[in-house]
Amino acid sequence: MNAGTASVRYPLPWPLRLLVSVGLGAILPLVFFGSILIQTEGHEPRGLCAAVEGDGGTLPLQMNAGGRIGYTCDFNWDLASFYVVPPALLFGMIVFAVWTLMRRRAAD
């Protein structure tokens, strides 16, 4: 192989791999709960949105579609972190373990 065309691989250190794994693991619960929130116009999961009259909510979800008074979603960040962080850590650890095992297998 020609030395000019060879690529040099720089593996990521384990703390950075762990951070990337947890970030990738957070995508699944965010998409899951976000899709439920959008499809139900902020009514499900319960407690995630508090109805605020007018445009005062943090999310532009119309919680009273077809009604005379419009309500938007005031997002509950504490409950959202409770819903997202544990599954994100679980899926992140699974991604990290698979990534580590694949690296070890490739090194053999």
Side-chain angles (χ1 to χ4, degrees):
M1 187 188 247
N2 190 353
T5 60
S7 63
V8 179
R9 294 181 51 167
Y10 297 103
L12 293 175
W14 74 267
L16 190 56
R17 278 197 336 244
L18 184 63
L19 186 64
V20 169
S21 299
V22 170
L24 289 173
I27 290 173
L28 186 63
L30 284 174
V31 168
F32 178 72
F33 288 115
S35 67
I36 291 174
L37 193 67
I38 290 170
Q39 289 176 0
T40 62
E41 297 174 343
H43 294 287
E44 293 293 334
R46 295 271 183 211
L48 210 52
C49 280
V52 175
E53 190 173 331
D55 294 337
T58 54
L59 292 178
L61 295 173
Q62 180 58 271
M63 295 184 71
N64 188 17
R68 289 185 321 181
I69 300 172
Y71 290 94
T72 55
C73 171
D74 189 21
F75 198 65
N76 186 347
W77 293 101
D78 295 334
L79 189 59
S81 64
F82 178 75
Y83 282 153
V84 171
V85 170
L89 291 175
L90 175 68
F91 294 133
M93 292 301 120
I94 292 170
V95 169
F96 182 75
V98 169
W99 194 356
T100 302
L101 291 173
M102 287 175 49
R103 284 186 47 156
R104 287 185 182 169
R105 184 162 183 113
D108 290 341

